[in-house]
Amino acid sequence: MDLVTDKNDNITTDANLFRLALSNAIRNAVDAVLDVPTDNSQVYVSADVTPSTFWVKVSNQFVGSEFSLDEVSGTGVTAKIGHQGQGFGIMRIVATRLGYDLLMQAEAGLAVFTLRGQRRIG
């Protein structure tokens, strides 16, 4: 989705690692909404920048009440049949390597993944 805006929204980063983190977040969100017993469950992606920082959020409904990033970020930890359980672990490694903050809030059936960091411009 392209948004019409006058502000410079460039982020200087390793594009492959950034893509790896976001693709895992979106894949996890899509997998989670497939289990939600309502027809209008959606994945929402939002982002913004300030002159020095950026953030990207991926949010979705999920079945259950709550979980923490520590509960699902270990290698091999998954609730999905046929998955190796490496998505959150990979996202954590990527965030550390890029110097970004990785946050996951999941409560009341709503999960919000946030990746934020410095834009490294100038």
Side-chain angles (χ1 to χ4, degrees):
M1 168 174 60
D2 290 324
L3 300 176
V4 176
T5 180
D6 289 337
K7 85 174 143 178
N8 176 352
D9 59 356
N10 293 333
I11 299 170
T12 302
T13 191
D14 181 311
N16 290 324
L17 290 177
F18 194 74
R19 185 180 311 115
L20 184 60
L22 291 181
S23 65
N24 272 289
I26 293 168
R27 185 178 307 118
N28 286 343
V30 169
D31 286 348
V33 298
L34 293 176
D35 293 333
V36 174
T38 180
D39 290 336
N40 64 356
S41 292
Q42 298 177 13
V43 174
Y44 296 95
V45 179
S46 58
D48 203 358
V49 295
T50 69
S52 61
T53 62
F54 76 91
W55 59 260
V56 179
K57 289 185 181 182
V58 179
S59 58
N60 60 276
Q61 292 179 307
F62 69 96
V63 173
S65 57
E66 64 184 39
F67 64 88
S68 72
L69 182 59
D70 289 335
E71 291 174 322
V72 295
S73 66
T75 299
V77 177
T78 184
K80 302 174 201 166
I81 296 172
H83 288 257
Q84 295 177 353
Q86 297 178 350
F88 282 117
I90 289 170
M91 288 187 285
R92 183 172 270 173
I93 291 167
V94 167
T96 299
R97 184 154 183 200
L98 294 175
Y100 297 159
D101 294 322
L102 174 71
L103 305 165
M104 173 61 80
Q105 298 169 303
E107 56 187 43
L110 179 67
V112 181
F113 160 86
T114 305
L115 184 67
R116 67 178 175 210
Q118 297 296 312
R119 291 177 61 195
R120 292 188 181 100
I121 57 176

